[in-house]
Every structure is written in C-alpha cells, then in structure tokens.
Amino acid sequence: QVQLVESGGGLVQPGGSLRLSCAASGSIFSISTMAWYRQAPGKQRELVALLRSGGSTNYADSVKGRFSISRDNAKITVYLQMNSLKPEDTAVYRCSIRGVPMGAVAAYDHWGQGTQVTVSS
C-alpha cells in the first residue's frame, strides 16, 4: 500500500516561510492531481492548492500570491512553498495524490497523515 509521507511543518513567526513536502512511498501511475488541504480547529477542511497533471493550478483566495505548489514527478513528491505566513494559516496540512497505485486498476485519492503548521509570535 502506498503511503504519503509529509514533512516540513513546524512553528514559524508571522511573515516567515515554510516548505512542506509530501513523498509517495511507492509507485503511483496516471496521476491526475496533487493537492494540499488544511484544517484548523473547529473549521472545515479547506483546499489550499491543487496541481493538475497538465500543470494548471488552483489556489484558495486566502493564499494566492503567498503559497506555491510544485512537484517532482520522478520522486512522486509534491511541495507547498508558504511565504508571508499569517496566524490564520495555522492548521494541520495534508497532501493528497490521485492516481493508480501499482497493482490496482482504478485511480483513487492517497492521503498523507498531516503535518502541523503553527504561525505565532
């Protein structure tokens, strides 16, 4: 079973930067989307950034101009560069990759375990 392993979260001061990484532990084929979501305490999960196989992206309005999603296809890794962080960015961030794992016949969403990002002075 393919797992997504996230890293890069932590505590940062307002205005600071963090880079999240999400790497697949095995092969995933026919990847259609890679994405980052976040969920703050007491709030619903929110799509932060989406990257399609063709390269187009979508961002939540609240992070446009500050966050950037990218990928390394060879490593099956997706990144989220977060700049100019604000306290309201504090949340658990989870990655998702939609594709077909080895041995499977259909695509589905793979999820990371989540990494905490805390923005505070």
Side-chain angles (χ1 to χ4, degrees):
Q1 183 176 358
V2 177
Q3 294 182 333
L4 302 187
V5 180
E6 299 164 352
S7 60
L11 174 64
V12 64
Q13 291 186 342
S17 297
L18 283 175
R19 188 193 195 206
L20 305 183
S21 299
C22 169
S25 63
S27 297
I28 304 175
F29 304 96
S30 302
I31 293 174
S32 57
T33 59
M34 294 176 155
W36 287 94
Y37 292 79
R38 68 185 180 186
Q39 188 166 18
K43 294 187 176 181
Q44 290 188 333
R45 186 177 66 191
E46 173 188 26
L47 174 63
V48 177
L50 178 77
L51 175 59
R52 298 179 183 84
S53 58
S56 63
T57 57
N58 285 102
Y59 294 93
D61 287 342
S62 59
V63 307
K64 284 180 180 177
R66 300 188 297 122
F67 290 11
S68 178
I69 188 171
S70 62
R71 67 190 176 199
D72 183 328
N73 289 331
K75 297 180 180 178
I76 313 180
T77 299
V78 59
Y79 305 97
L80 184 67
Q81 178 67 43
M82 305 185 294
N83 299 327
S84 302
L85 283 161
K86 304 175 181 180
E88 51 263 43
D89 294 319
T90 296
V92 174
Y93 287 70
R94 295 182 71 190
C95 62
S96 176
I97 297 177
R98 177 171 293 179
V100 183
M102 183 171 288
V105 296
Y108 59 85
D109 292 329
H110 302 73
W111 289 93
Q113 79 285 358
T115 185
Q116 177 69 45
V117 171
T118 302
V119 185
S120 176
S121 55

